Amino acid sequence: MKRQKRDMNDRAYHRGYHAGLAGRPKDQCPHAQGDARQNWLSGWSEGRTDSWEAKSGVSGLSSIARHEFA
């Protein structure tokens, strides 16, 4: 079993990051409450920041690579 399957909080963070990078609203968070929701929102916030700073192209490859699933 892969690591992201076991650590749901880490997985929520990465999915939130990609949602924020894609420009999706934070209202689309799939988690109702708890640590998973907080991690998703934290990832979403960082993804939106990277999106606003135009880190979605070549300049953001290292940032995005850090958030890819292993």
Side-chain angles (χ1 to χ4, degrees), residues 24-47:
R24 293 198 322 235
K26 67 179 174 181
D27 298 357
Q28 291 184 349
C29 177
H31 307 284
Q33 59 188 359
D35 290 339
R37 178 176 176 79
Q38 185 60 38
N39 285 319
W40 192 94
L41 291 172
S42 295
W44 178 88
S45 178
E46 188 172 335

Side-chain angles (χ1 to χ4, degrees), residues 14 17-18 21 50 55-69:
H14 290 295
Y17 177 83
H18 285 286
L21 193 62
D50 287 354
K55 291 187 177 178
S56 58
V58 173
S59 64
L61 287 178
S62 65
S63 178
I64 293 170
R66 159 181 77 193
H67 296 287
E68 291 296 320
F69 296 129

